[in-house]
Amino acid sequence: MREFNPCKGKDACRDDGEHCLTCGRKLTEVARLVFLMNELSDFVVEQEYSNVDEFAAYIARKLVKKVKHRSET
């Protein structure tokens, strides 16, 4: 396993065509995460949730549980 390095922001991103030179992640990984974040954001807007913080905390809790479960099998 490896550590996740978060983006430092669009203005900090520099790449070599394959990796971000700032966070070190592959550009395909960055693009996939952007896609997933956009999907989640669109879902929240479509549902008209007013408690976005609670939704985000729920997603974070569930994600950790799912990853731990999948890692154990």
Side-chain angles (χ1 to χ4, degrees), residues 8-9 13 16-17 23-25 27 29 31 34-37 40-43 45 48 50 55 57 61 64 66 70 72:
K8 308 296 187 242
C13 190
D16 63 4
C23 70
R25 293 186 290 146
L27 297 181
E29 177 186 347
V34 167
F35 172 80
L36 292 169
M37 293 298 291
L40 277 173
S41 299
D42 289 347
F43 179 78
V45 170
E48 299 180 347
S50 61
F55 175 81
R61 284 191 313 272
V64 170
K66 283 187 175 287
R70 290 181 181 184
E72 293 170 356

Side-chain angles (χ1 to χ4, degrees), residues 1-67:
M1 295 194 100
R2 61 188 178 93
E3 292 289 318
F4 170 77
N5 289 321
C7 291
K8 308 296 187 242
K10 283 185 180 181
D11 295 337
C13 190
R14 305 287 180 264
D15 70 80
D16 63 4
E18 287 190 37
H19 293 84
C20 173
L21 300 174
T22 304
C23 70
R25 293 186 290 146
K26 290 182 181 180
L27 297 181
T28 54
E29 177 186 347
V30 172
R32 186 165 180 200
L33 184 55
V34 167
F35 172 80
L36 292 169
M37 293 298 291
N38 284 334
E39 288 290 309
L40 277 173
S41 299
D42 289 347
F43 179 78
V44 170
V45 170
E46 289 168 12
Q47 300 305 313
E48 299 180 347
Y49 292 152
S50 61
N51 56 341
V52 177
D53 291 340
E54 189 170 339
F55 175 81
Y58 170 79
I59 293 297
R61 284 191 313 272
K62 295 298 280 187
L63 178 63
V64 170
K65 286 180 182 180
K66 283 187 175 287
V67 170

